[in-house]
Amino acid sequence: KQEVTQIPAALSVPEGENLVLNCSFTDSAIYNLQWFRQDPGKGLTSLLLIQSSQREQTSGRLNASLDKSSGRSTLYIAASQPGDSATYLCAVNWNAGNMLTFGGGTRLMVKP
Amino acid sequence: DAGVIQSPRHEVTEMGQEVTLRCKPISGHNSLFWYRQTMMRGLELLIYFNNNVPIDDSGMPEDRFSAKMPNASFSTLKIQPSEPRDSAVYFCASSFVTGAEAFFGQGTRLTVV
């Protein structure tokens, strides 16, 4: 069964820390992987999309890496800020149809 | 572009009533998806359309659920009759081409009492 797991489920860090969020998936034959941010009561905002042929993608203070062979992706957030507090979701697409399978998310709190 | 637009944002209905959720995808996107989010099960794909045609509806939980996409700019998800366990946030998403970035709407929070 194709599954996506995110650990830890919750994380609290002081402002300014660099942090890494983890995502693992059971089948390495992915098409692409997408990281999202979700604020309480809101929709999902796309952060980064990594195609299967790519190793990483960067956007501002965010860097996502992909290691298909080990079934892992990480989202690196540099110099965290209170405004980064949200739930971060990893989603894997195992076929060209772009049907996403989501992890359970990591709820991040950045304390001032 | 205004993004993916869903309506209503909130819906409270009584058990047994019909509920219709609406979605307008981003103009030019040819793929549309309906997802459901609950505390217990997280985000789950319900149905996927490509060029207005349903491609995969294996995530639709029961026959009480149905979805249509009569044209490229509009889709509906209908629940008839609704039950309390259908209470969840329902998201619509669209993407431009196969394997492209998916964009989500703000969701419809459904409460069935």
Side-chain angles (χ1 to χ4, degrees), chain B residues 45-86:
Chain B
L45 176 68
L46 299 177
I47 188 169
Y48 155 50
F49 291 87
N50 190 50
N51 291 323
N52 311 337
V53 176
I55 303 300
D56 189 324
D57 65 354
S58 59
M60 296 286 262
E62 302 172 31
D63 291 344
R64 298 184 296 105
F65 286 70
S66 62
K68 294 182 179 180
M69 192 165 185
N71 57 62
S73 59
F74 185 65
S75 176
T76 60
L77 177 67
K78 184 177 294 186
I79 307 172
Q80 166 64 16
S82 57
E83 296 183 3
R85 59 195 170 112
D86 301 332

Side-chain angles (χ1 to χ4, degrees), chain A residues 55-66:
Chain A
R55 297 282 300 196
E56 64 177 344
Q57 283 282 358
T58 298
S59 176
R61 294 182 295 108
L62 305 179
N63 175 277
S65 68
L66 175 64

